[in-house]
Structure formats: C-alpha cells, structure tokens
Amino acid sequence: QAQLVESGGGLVQAGGSLRLSCAASLRTFNNYGMGWFRQAPGKEREFVAAITWTGSSTYYADSVLGRFTISRDHAENTVNLQMNSLKLEDTAVYYCAAGDSAGYSTMKYTSSYKYWGQGTQVTVSS
C-alpha cells in the first residue's frame, strides 16, 4: 500500500523558515516524480514545487521561486521542501504527491499525480 506522510508544518512568523518532509512508502520511490502542492481555505489546490525522479530537475511556482527549495533523498525515500522568507500568503495545507510524469508542463498539474499525502498545515503569522 503506497503511503505518503508529510511532517514539519507549524506556526511561524513572517520572514521565518520551515522545512517540510514527506516520507514515502513506495516500493519504487526512485521511479516517481514528486511534487508539493498547497491549498488555502476557499481556494483551489495549487502547484508549489516538483522534482523529477532522478532529482536532476526541479520546478517552482513563480510565487515561491527563490524562497523554496525542493530536494529528495533516495536512500531515505523522502522529499523535502525548505521554505524560507515565509509570507502570510504562504499559509495553507501543504500536500506531497507522487506521479510518473516528468517535465514542468505536466508536473504542475494535480492530475499528473497518483498518490497523495494527507497534508500538513503551515500558518504564517504577522
């Protein structure tokens, strides 16, 4: 049974940092592209960042470019999202996802992902 479990969310002041982790119990984790999405109250789920199965390519939403960094650890079957210079508008539930797509043109869409975690809340306060 494939499972993705996010951790690392919490309450942080604007300008601060958080590091989200996603532990994947996927038999073939190394074959999946991984993505982070977020959903704020009353809004649709939106793309944040993605990394290809090799880890050689990463993609970011314009709103987080230069502030967030996605990485993956093949040995630990984890994917991480380092979030710096957090803003109030980063407040959302953050979801980890796994899919077999590659390339920004597909990895930015929720429909490209087969497995999803339950999400972790990130709240940025002023």
Side-chain angles (χ1 to χ4, degrees), residues 19-125:
R19 183 178 177 84
L20 304 184
S21 291
C22 173
S25 61
L26 295 167
R27 188 168 60 87
T28 55
F29 172 75
N30 292 345
N31 292 347
Y32 286 92
M34 303 295 295
W36 284 97
F37 288 76
R38 66 187 181 187
Q39 189 166 17
K43 295 187 177 181
E44 293 187 353
R45 192 169 297 189
E46 66 174 5
F47 170 75
V48 175
I51 187 167
T52 55
W53 66 276
T54 62
S56 61
S57 295
T58 56
Y59 310 103
Y60 298 93
D62 289 344
S63 58
V64 307
L65 188 63
R67 300 188 297 122
F68 290 11
T69 302
I70 188 171
S71 61
R72 67 188 298 164
D73 185 329
H74 289 279
E76 297 293 329
N77 275 23
T78 58
V79 60
N80 303 303
L81 185 69
Q82 178 66 43
M83 306 187 296
N84 298 328
S85 302
L86 283 161
K87 303 177 180 180
L88 297 178
E89 52 264 41
D90 293 320
T91 295
V93 177
Y94 283 70
Y95 298 90
C96 171
D100 55 10
S101 297
Y104 179 67
S105 62
T106 53
M107 296 186 81
K108 62 182 178 179
Y109 297 110
T110 57
S111 58
S112 296
Y113 294 86
K114 185 175 182 180
Y115 301 108
W116 289 85
Q118 292 301 306
T120 185
Q121 175 71 46
V122 171
T123 303
V124 184
S125 65

